[in-house]
Amino acid sequence: MSESKNNRFVQMSAVRREDQRGVMEEIEKEGHCPFCVENLQKYHKNPILEEGEFWFLTENQWPYEKIKHQLLAIHKTHIEHISELDPMAGAELIRMFSEESKKRGIEGGGVAIRFGSSPDGNYGSSVLHLHAHLIEPDLKALGETEAWKFKFGQPKNYHK
Ligand SMILES: [Zn+2]
């Protein structure tokens, strides 16, 4: 698997699912960012649950395994690093996640924002446009020695 040469907005080495790969390859060829507003509708098929000042709240189109809920907040403008985030966007994100977790009766889980890129590998995001996850793992689906983990990076030549 080689890193994208002509599309700096996506990282093919971070793609997790086979059904996701085809779409990501198309995006890679197009050379644009799938999370930018002008392209979002084309690739993201889940409804937008809320549009805030800073974020679109939706659900992940490429669910992880063994989860009950997987919310995705996509920053409305193209930024890639947490240092570019307006503190007010942080406040809105927590408000959105909080309200939606109440609505869904989410018992527990975690929130994750990966950011940035490196020639030495990837920080786990297939799309560099800043986005945030709220995940409720399905504890009953996990094996006795299994823990639900979120990846924050892997080296360039990582193999499963
Ligand atoms: Zn973008």
Side-chain angles (χ1 to χ4, degrees), residues 2 19-20 26 54 61 71 87 91 93-94 101 137 152 157:
S2 65
D19 55 351
Q20 180 187 14
E26 188 192 332
F54 297 97
Q61 176 156 251
L71 296 169
L93 180 70
I94 298 300
S101 72
F152 278 119
N157 298 315

Side-chain angles (χ1 to χ4, degrees), residues 21-32 42-43:
R21 186 170 305 282
V23 177
M24 290 298 288
E25 279 168 0
E26 188 192 332
I27 292 164
E28 190 186 28
K29 250 180 259 152
E30 290 292 328
H32 57 202
K42 182 173 182 207
Y43 300 110

Side-chain angles (χ1 to χ4, degrees), residues 33-44 48 56 74:
C33 169
F35 281 177
C36 274
V37 177
E38 62 271 27
N39 307 319
L40 189 62
Q41 267 196 334
K42 182 173 182 207
Y43 300 110
H44 188 74
I48 301 297
F56 290 114
I74 301 171

Side-chain angles (χ1 to χ4, degrees), residues 32-154:
H32 57 202
C33 169
F35 281 177
C36 274
V37 177
E38 62 271 27
N39 307 319
L40 189 62
Q41 267 196 334
K42 182 173 182 207
Y43 300 110
H44 188 74
K45 305 299 180 194
N46 290 336
I48 301 297
L49 303 168
E50 186 186 343
E51 180 180 349
E53 187 186 345
F54 297 97
W55 303 94
F56 290 114
L57 182 65
T58 181
E59 285 184 344
N60 197 326
Q61 176 156 251
W62 313 110
Y64 291 86
E65 285 173 10
K66 303 180 181 180
I67 49 110
K68 281 187 176 172
H69 291 278
Q70 183 164 248
L71 296 169
L72 185 71
I74 301 171
H75 197 264
K76 287 174 73 177
T77 58
H78 188 96
I79 59 171
E80 296 185 4
H81 200 278
I82 197 160
S83 65
E84 299 171 83
L85 199 59
D86 188 318
M88 295 305 290
E92 186 182 79
L93 180 70
I94 298 300
R95 199 261 308 146
M96 278 179 164
F97 276 171
S98 164
E99 285 177 7
E100 193 64 23
S101 72
K102 226 178 282 172
K103 212 183 286 177
R104 294 173 180 230
I106 291 177
E107 279 187 320
V111 169
I113 305 175
R114 296 187 276 222
F115 61 90
S117 58
S118 167
D120 298 325
N122 68 66
Y123 291 108
S125 304
S126 52
V127 178
L128 290 175
H129 184 131
L130 199 80
H131 55 282
H133 298 268
L134 184 151
I135 289 161
E136 178 181 21
D138 185 354
L139 301 181
K140 285 184 185 151
L142 296 173
E144 273 180 27
T145 57
E146 195 181 4
W148 205 95
K149 292 175 188 160
F150 200 86
K151 202 185 291 173
F152 278 119
Q154 61 195 26

